[in-house]
Amino acid sequence: MTEEEAIAIVQESVRFHADDWNFPSEMRERMKRLLEGPKAYGEFYDRDLRIDATLMRYSSPYPGVRAVQELKDDPSVPIETIRAYFLGVAWAIIGTFMSTFFNSRFPSIGLSGSVIQILLFPCAKFLEWVLPDWGITVFGVRHSLNPGPWTFKEQMFSTICYNIAIYTTNSYGMILVQRLDVYYGLKFVNFGYQLMLTLFVQLMGMGFAGYLRRFSVYPVKALWPTILPTIAMNRALTRPEPKENIYGWTVSRYRFFYICTLSMAIYYWFPGYLFTALSTFNWMTWIAPDSVVLSLLTGSITGLGLFNPITTFDWNVATSSYAALSQPFFATCTMYFGGILGGLIILGIYYKNMNYTAFLPINSSSAFANDGTSYQVQKVVVNNRLDQTKYQNYSPPFYSAGYILTVGANFCFYPVYFFYIMVNQWKTIGQAYVDFYHGLRYGKGNYENAMDIHSRLMAQYPEVPDWWFLIILVGAIVVSVIFLKIYPLNTPIWLVFLVIGINLVFAVPLSFLSATTGTNLGLGALIQVITGFLLPGNTNAFLFAQTLGSWALAGYGDNMVQDLKMGHYVRIPPRAVFRSQIGTIIITVFVAVGTQDFIMTNVKGLCTPNQPSRFTCANDGNPLYASSLMWGLLGSDRMFNSLYPLFKWCFLIGTCIALVFLFGQTYGPRYLPGVKDQLRQRLSWRMFSLLDRTLFPFVASLLWLNPILVIQGVQHWAPSNMSYKTPGFILSYVFMYWMPKHRLAWWEKYNYVLSAALTAGVAVSGLIIFFAVGYNPKRLEWWGNTVSGAGVDGRGTGILEIPKDRGYFGPEKGTFP
């Protein structure tokens, strides 16, 4: 490489990655110094210039991507084999069953992709050993039951097959709230209703993925950090494992996995059934069980869990808030301290008794009546519509301080993420819009003029045309219109096109956020406000818009785009990924709906607070039901202008936060060094030294702080609390910060295996416990299973008593807004 070529590459890279928060800062500074010339740079200029230029042209600037990539490709390696399809679909069925079965449990249990890939590999090796080399030839290509040794690409192809199916179907929450008697109890929600709804919702998400891929697959900046551990683990599994001694550890990955899985499957009987206080370890409340203050500060059930350093001995609880052994520590740390900030805000709301929160538990996702009991919507609804007379004689719904913060922070989040990403990353997103238009108008390929090695290697495979995805999207829209016509939902057809239009605008920055930070969020709060204004009093329309608009398009489309990026990194042909996704979706829809029907029919006490197996719906049915009361039944106008007027200001607060960070991070690096030099000259040495140790580092940290992660930490409350976050933060510090720095070799070999093994052990044990002692509940009554809920933390008492003379709090009956 000549010096001129290297300089041109480095110049383009500095310009292209100027707004890339994942680009290594030391590499960016080195490249800027290289462009100043050999005299300014000093020794090793020629070497470093060519190394950086070669890295940018033939590799990746991101260390995580470099750790899992291969810079060559062999198109002749088997990929879409019969055994790869069989294993991928089989494990997709199992994963769908598990995630659907335990979705209403809090915390939920599931088989993540990292767990299934560990289990998939020995199955593949078994088939490699037993299957004969029988096959047929189709269009000149032979398809054999056993084409030879199991390959890395087959492993990744099977991984992509099941990965799209292990998420709970997006329609489950809507079906749950509509069908169960504890919520709306609608009798027309039968199996056919569930199947039709689930099918077109899932397929609409896939059709939308064809739009999002321009923004979240092909750009270099869309690195998707959450998929890198999956690729790393699969590479490790399919390569011969050398015998090595790492700090005295000689056990193989597989033996380590099965030892840990078996150990956890046995151990989980203690926090899962025999000694449940180990799970919700609110030990500080045991000191004074009737102390309201102690309960709300340290409690794990309805408290905040703020000052409890040891909150659980349950792996499922410890990892329920953060992917502690895979998510980057800086992201976990930022969200954790955002969570602490959220807890302090909740305390302020509660002790100010804003919106009568002091009469209720401080942190709950449920809706309450003005007598402190759970809100019963049947008392105010006639023919699925709000009856004003019954409403005035009963109560408006009231919400806990934790839930109010969660809703308000959701409203803050949308302007923060939209403005921050659209301004900060406009060059990348704007170019993707241009490429999307040129692709539809002129047939421009996705890999034309690509600068990264992955796109150049993928250019040899035929791309999936945009119209394939468009046909799926249009077909799903047609089915959704038919669905609204044949079922009595009283929902206008234009709502389908409205939520699609909202997603066309807002899903792009949301998807890019997922691709760059690893977060995965929906458009729920935005959709619910708009629906509540347009269709007040129509709960079915609200639930339909939430299901279709918040997750089916942006969320589920994101999951599919993530798998497209995985195939991009490992050179799986795009059309092979497309075939695997569409086939798996159709098959697993039937599995998901069958499992949902079984759960709602056979689990006794489903979605009630004291359900023995913890199927309380605290994280799916309850919050969706509460939202449907707020925005669907009462409507956004009543919520914003009468009941909770603070909510409408949250959008402005979020906009201001975004503008402050954009302004500071754009102009701060340019002007703050000069301001610091002026202060050095004007202030005394003692004062400047004090500021240099305190204020200056704090201001400097704001220049790289991602406000989106802070808001995400603030909003993650009700029903979650710090009891679910603190153990995840500790685990993340140990395994994602300390271990890579001090025990890197051990971390590289065992970290992801340990996470997968413990999660698999919990899943297996949880399933056995449910069918052994939970399906027909066999209660084990002793102190270790009752102490957690025996005090105020379990009862969820407010700090203010309900007035005895009236029997309720809040406005007088007949004057409700």
Side-chain angles (χ1 to χ4, degrees):
M1 184 181 290
T2 65
E3 182 176 350
E4 291 74 18
E5 290 176 324
I7 290 175
I9 293 171
V10 171
Q11 284 178 333
E12 171 62 19
S13 299
V14 170
R15 183 199 64 80
F16 183 78
H17 291 282
D19 56 359
D20 186 354
W21 49 58
N22 286 305
F23 195 86
S25 57
E26 66 277 5
M27 186 176 180
R28 178 185 287 114
E29 296 303 317
R30 183 176 65 247
M31 294 171 80
K32 289 180 179 179
R33 288 189 289 110
L34 284 168
L35 294 177
E36 295 174 1
K39 291 184 179 180
Y41 188 84
E43 192 178 7
F44 303 123
Y45 168 80
D46 289 330
R47 182 198 68 179
D48 291 354
L49 176 67
R50 285 166 175 78
I51 286 177
D52 280 352
T54 304
L55 191 67
M56 296 303 301
R57 176 58 59 86
Y58 299 108
S59 184
S60 171
Y62 309 111
V65 176
R66 292 200 302 270
V68 302
Q69 70 182 5
E70 285 188 350
L71 302 180
K72 57 183 180 179
D73 182 42
D74 183 2
S76 65
V77 172
I79 301 174
E80 281 188 279
T81 61
I82 296 172
R83 63 189 182 186
Y85 266 115
F86 172 76
L87 291 176
V89 172
W91 279 108
I93 292 172
I94 296 172
T96 300
F97 169 76
M98 289 293 295
S99 61
T100 306
F101 190 90
F102 286 111
N103 191 70
S104 296
R105 187 185 187 274
F106 185 76
S108 61
I109 297 174
L111 285 176
S112 65
S114 58
V115 175
I116 294 182
Q117 69 189 15
I118 293 284
L119 300 171
L120 184 149
F121 184 69
C123 298
K125 299 302 287 184
F126 175 75
L127 293 184
E128 175 191 318
W129 179 57
V130 300
L131 287 179
D133 185 12
W134 296 346
I136 59 174
T137 300
V138 181
F139 298 113
V141 179
R142 186 172 186 270
H143 299 273
S144 172
L145 291 177
N146 191 349
W150 180 255
T151 66
F152 167 72
K153 286 195 174 186
E154 284 182 288
Q155 176 81 10
M156 288 305 307
F157 180 76
S158 295
T159 298
I160 291 171
C161 273
Y162 71 69
N163 206 44
I164 195 60
I166 61 176
Y167 306 100
T168 303
T169 53
N170 306 289
S171 60
Y172 183 37
M174 173 179 173
I175 294 169
L176 199 68
V177 172
Q178 287 182 321
R179 177 171 169 175
L180 292 188
D181 290 334
V182 296
Y183 301 128
Y184 291 109
L186 303 179
K187 302 307 179 186
F188 62 81
V189 182
N190 54 25
F191 189 87
Y193 176 98
Q194 296 168 220
L195 182 62
M196 191 174 183
L197 174 67
T198 304
L199 185 61
F200 78 73
V201 164
Q202 302 298 92
L203 290 178
M204 195 173 291
M206 181 174 183
F208 206 71
Y211 168 68
L212 293 178
R213 61 181 177 159
R214 294 278 186 177
F215 307 91
S216 304
V217 174
Y218 309 121
V220 180
K221 297 174 186 176
L223 73 157
W224 288 97
T226 52
I227 69 176
L228 301 180
T230 300
I231 299 174
M233 177 61 71
N234 281 329
R235 286 205 187 279
L237 292 173
T238 53
R239 286 173 175 168
E241 185 173 343
K243 292 184 178 180
E244 53 189 349
N245 188 315
I246 302 177
Y247 305 111
W249 291 66
T250 58
V251 62
S252 69
R253 285 186 180 91
Y254 260 99
R255 190 171 185 181
F256 180 71
F257 173 82
Y258 288 119
I259 290 173
C260 293
T261 300
L262 180 61
S263 300
M264 176 55 72
I266 297 172
Y267 168 78
Y268 189 71
W269 275 85
F270 290 93
Y273 179 69
L274 299 173
F275 192 178
T276 56
L278 295 174
S279 182
T280 52
F281 196 59
N282 53 352
W283 61 277
M284 298 184 78
T285 66
W286 305 350
I287 301 171
D290 295 324
S291 171
V292 177
V293 175
L294 183 64
S295 170
L296 66 89
L297 289 177
T298 67
S300 299
I301 301 176
T302 58
L304 301 180
L306 276 171
F307 302 103
N308 186 354
I310 305 172
T311 64
T312 188
F313 293 92
D314 183 341
W315 172 259
N316 198 43
V317 171
T319 56
S320 61
S321 292
Y322 310 125
L325 271 66
S326 62
Q327 192 174 42
F329 176 69
F330 86 89
T332 302
C333 184
T334 305
M335 288 189 289
Y336 180 76
F337 285 99
I340 293 177
L341 175 62
L344 298 177
I345 296 173
I346 291 173
L347 286 173
I349 294 172
Y350 197 64
Y351 276 96
K352 282 286 186 179
N353 193 25
M354 291 178 59
N355 303 108
Y356 308 102
T357 53
F359 293 98
L360 305 173
I362 193 171
N363 189 56
S364 171
S365 61
S366 299
F368 296 90
N370 54 11
D371 58 358
T373 60
S374 295
Y375 197 84
Q376 299 179 39
V377 73
Q378 293 84 356
K379 293 185 177 182
V380 298
V381 168
V382 176
N383 296 325
N384 295 327
R385 292 286 188 172
L386 180 67
D387 185 288
Q388 287 293 337
T389 302
K390 291 188 174 184
Y391 168 70
Q392 294 294 339
N393 290 329
Y394 181 46
S395 168
F398 292 93
Y399 301 92
S400 71
Y403 192 74
I404 290 174
L405 173 77
T406 298
V407 174
N410 279 337
F411 296 149
C412 285
F413 172 79
Y414 289 106
V416 169
Y417 99 80
F418 185 79
F419 287 115
Y420 188 76
I421 291 182
M422 292 300 283
V423 174
N424 205 310
Q425 302 291 333
W426 175 246
K427 286 187 292 186
T428 301
I429 294 177
Q431 184 60 48
Y433 274 118
V434 173
D435 291 342
F436 180 71
Y437 171 75
H438 287 167
L440 290 176
R441 180 70 176 80
Y442 306 109
K444 179 184 177 181
N446 299 318
Y447 305 120
E448 290 182 23
N449 304 319
M451 62 177 292
D452 67 302
I453 184 65
H454 301 289
S455 292
R456 297 203 303 273
L457 288 172
M458 285 294 288
Q460 65 185 310
Y461 298 111
E463 183 54 273
V464 180
D466 290 315
W467 63 267
W468 288 18
F469 289 100
L470 188 60
I471 286 177
I472 292 176
L473 181 60
V474 171
I477 292 174
V478 171
V479 176
S480 69
V481 171
I482 296 173
F483 175 81
L484 293 179
K485 284 292 186 181
I486 64 177
Y487 288 105
L489 293 177
N490 195 26
T491 298
I493 292 172
W494 55 258
L495 188 61
V496 175
F497 300 95
L498 175 65
V499 297
I500 291 176
I502 293 171
N503 275 267
L504 285 174
V505 176
F506 289 96
V508 169
L510 197 66
S511 181
F512 193 82
L513 172 67
S514 300
T516 52
T517 65
T519 58
N520 194 355
L521 302 168
L523 292 170
L526 186 63
I527 296 289
Q528 67 189 16
V529 171
I530 295 174
T531 310
F533 271 118
L534 296 176
L535 298 167
N538 192 336
T539 55
N540 284 327
F542 170 86
L543 291 170
F544 181 82
Q546 279 289 89
T547 300
L548 196 63
S550 63
W551 276 109
L553 297 176
Y556 195 64
D558 245 12
N559 293 337
M560 304 198 70
V561 167
Q562 174 178 294
D563 288 337
L564 291 174
K565 186 68 176 188
M566 195 183 301
H568 184 79
Y569 276 143
V570 299
R571 257 71 74 192
I572 304 292
R575 295 190 178 187
V577 175
F578 180 87
R579 285 188 289 266
S580 71
Q581 288 182 332
I582 188 70
T584 306
I585 286 173
I586 293 173
I587 293 171
T588 55
V589 158
F590 289 90
V591 178
V593 172
T595 307
Q596 294 167 12
D597 201 67
F598 174 82
I599 290 291
M600 289 184 285
T601 304
N602 294 280
V603 175
K604 298 178 177 63
L606 181 64
C607 297
T608 57
N610 299 315
Q611 208 284 329
S613 298
R614 302 188 195 177
F615 284 78
T616 60
C617 304
N619 210 29
D620 58 0
N622 284 352
L624 184 58
Y625 175 64
S627 295
S628 73
L629 296 178
M630 294 174 75
W631 310 105
L633 189 66
L634 300 180
S636 298
D637 182 64
R638 185 185 271 114
M639 291 302 301
F640 273 120
N641 296 320
S642 300
L643 293 175
Y644 295 94
L646 179 63
F647 284 160
K648 62 187 176 185
W649 296 103
C650 292
F651 291 100
L652 178 61
I653 294 171
T655 303
C656 293
I657 292 173
L659 293 177
V660 167
F661 274 90
L662 284 170
F663 182 84
Q665 294 180 354
T666 301
Y667 295 102
R670 188 181 306 174
Y671 295 108
L672 285 179
V675 173
K676 186 175 180 180
D677 289 338
Q678 292 181 9
L679 291 175
R680 181 185 285 108
Q681 297 172 7
R682 296 182 180 182
L683 298 178
S684 65
W685 175 86
R686 186 184 300 274
M687 177 58 69
F688 182 83
S689 178
L690 177 63
L691 294 176
D692 200 34
R693 294 193 307 269
T694 55
L695 181 62
F696 295 159
F698 174 74
V699 173
S701 68
L702 296 180
L703 298 181
W704 59 261
L705 188 65
N706 190 329
I708 299 172
L709 295 177
V710 177
I711 298 296
Q712 188 179 356
V714 170
Q715 72 182 113
H716 194 209
W717 285 85
S720 181
N721 55 53
M722 296 308 295
S723 297
Y724 296 88
K725 307 178 198 297
T726 299
F729 171 75
I730 295 172
L731 287 171
S732 181
Y733 174 80
V734 173
F735 287 97
M736 297 304 294
Y737 178 76
W738 188 88
M739 293 289 285
K741 292 187 68 172
H742 300 283
R743 297 292 186 271
L744 180 60
W746 191 98
W747 182 86
E748 288 179 338
K749 184 171 183 178
Y750 296 115
N751 179 70
Y752 298 131
V753 179
L754 176 64
S755 176
L758 298 182
T759 304
V762 169
V764 172
S765 186
L767 198 62
I768 294 173
I769 290 173
F770 175 80
F771 283 107
V773 295
Y775 181 62
N776 292 307
K778 294 178 173 55
R779 295 182 179 274
L780 186 62
E781 297 285 349
W782 73 290
W783 174 86
N785 286 349
T786 59
V787 63
S788 293
V792 174
D793 187 32
R795 296 194 298 269
T797 306
I799 57 174
L800 296 182
E801 292 187 6
I802 297 175
K804 295 181 179 179
D805 55 335
R806 302 167 65 202
Y808 64 93
F809 59 84
E812 292 289 338
K813 291 186 175 182
T815 64
F816 300 149

